[in-house]
Amino acid sequence: MTKHNFFAGPAVLDRSVMDQAASAVGTFDDMGLSILEISHRSKQFVAVMEEAEALVRELLNLSDDYAVLFLTGGASSQFFMVPMNILASGDTAGYVDTGTWSTKAIKEAKLYGNIEVLASSKEDGFNHIPKPDVPDHLRYLHITSNNTIYGTQYKGFPNTSVPIVADMSSDIFNRPIDDISKFGVIYAGAQKNLGPAGTTLVIVRKDLLGKVDRQIPTMLNYETHIAKNSSFNTPPVFPIYVCMLSLRWLKANGGLKVMQAKNDAKAKVLYDEIDRNSLFAGVAATEDRSNMNVTFTINNADLEGKFLDFVTEHDIMGLKGHRSVGGFRASIYNALKTESVHHLVSLMKEFESMHA
Ligand SMILES: *Cc1c(COP(=O)(O)O)cnc(C)c1O
């Protein structure tokens, strides 16, 4: 029986990607060895790394001004690697506080320079994206493009000449980025919308580097990894391979424009039902609703557990909301099929007819 995977991360991948990954665990390429037991310096793996990087460049239209890295330590390590590498101790960076992940990024950045929190939606339970003016003196502006826990997402990016640093962990590759040159750094833990857990995609504009005078440990210095094509030390070979497969899948399925149309259509089906159904209500402000993480509640606390049991009986996995928001969260990443959203919607209708 097929399950419908609505988990927030690690999350759904296309079946074809997992089948190819499984096959490579058996034997990879023409080597007669498993992908799990080959050298990261073998020409076969070097080709994987190169293809993964090339696909990222192609899908996002990146120029040579940017480096593409596959690192470890999760998006959480980028919370400190970004300021450590590009914020000199007397410099100021601006942060927009849109939830748990932004708050964590702010805490780490304060270790390295002056941090101005330009706006926060904390008072409103992070249910919307504040849009502050961005002063010109900032070294960079940090945003969280999609707030995985609260279900809010930037629909357009701030209009500023300050380089934007974006945590795109939960919406990387969900749509094309019109003006990539606005961005100084983009980072994303792979395990939401790209691949399995174990690697973090980091895209850095190279001219931002080399301008701080603090000592940076070798492993935490972007320049180390740029010079060695993400293979200064042993990279996470298997997660990078699966990310590459997933990027191939994205390209073969039409790229980011097509993916955006699918994602918007999937999200619309679900939000329309949340708005129509007398039992449910959306959490996020309408104009900031995420097309990746759809958060909603039920109007009768007694029914919350019942609805979760009901959908679980019908093969829906991972619908429980984050503990800090409660209710439900449907993570509908790139690889989640439209049929899965229709299945959830039909269960919401059925539950309404049982309980309204
Ligand atoms: C999950 C998540 C993180 C944390 O990612 P790790 O790779 O576990 O460190 C950071 N930011 C956002 C927006 C996330 O969704």
Side-chain angles (χ1 to χ4, degrees), residues 8-10 73-79 100-102 104 143-149 167-171 187-192 197-200 293 329 333:
S76 299
S77 291
Q78 296 311 308
F79 297 163
T100 305
W101 300 116
S102 309
K104 289 186 176 181
I143 63 167
T144 309
S145 59
N146 184 73
N147 296 279
T148 325
I149 294 174
D167 176 357
M168 293 198 185
S169 292
S170 50
D171 70 349
Y187 61 89
Q191 69 275 15
K192 269 91 180 216
T199 189
T200 307
N293 307 97
R329 170 174 55 178
Y333 297 120

Side-chain angles (χ1 to χ4, degrees), residues 86-198:
I86 69 178
L87 187 65
S89 51
D91 281 352
T92 302
Y95 278 67
V96 185
D97 184 19
T98 52
T100 305
W101 300 116
S102 309
T103 308
K104 289 186 176 181
I106 291 164
K107 173 169 181 260
E108 300 299 301
K110 284 182 174 165
L111 299 171
Y112 298 98
N114 303 320
I115 300 306
E116 278 180 28
V117 178
L118 302 176
S120 171
S121 48
K122 188 173 183 185
E123 302 271 282
D124 302 311
F126 295 119
N127 70 354
H128 70 282
I129 306 263
K131 285 134 195 141
D133 288 334
V134 182
D136 290 334
H137 68 271
L138 300 174
R139 186 85 180 100
Y140 63 83
L141 167 70
H142 183 283
I143 63 167
T144 309
S145 59
N146 184 73
N147 296 279
T148 325
I149 294 174
Y150 307 91
T152 60
Q153 183 179 33
Y154 281 81
K155 296 295 152 181
F157 292 109
N159 225 336
T160 172
S161 56
V162 171
I164 300 175
V165 172
D167 176 357
M168 293 198 185
S169 292
S170 50
D171 70 349
I172 185 90
F173 302 122
N174 88 110
R175 57 185 165 187
I177 297 175
D178 293 337
D179 188 2
I180 197 82
S181 69
K182 281 181 153 181
F183 292 87
V185 182
I186 292 172
Y187 61 89
Q191 69 275 15
K192 269 91 180 216
N193 206 26
L194 172 58

Side-chain angles (χ1 to χ4, degrees), residues 69 73 89-90 180 195 259 267 286 290 292 312 352:
L69 303 173
S89 51
I180 197 82
M259 195 46 74
T286 313
S290 169
M292 296 273 98
T312 307
E352 181 187 36

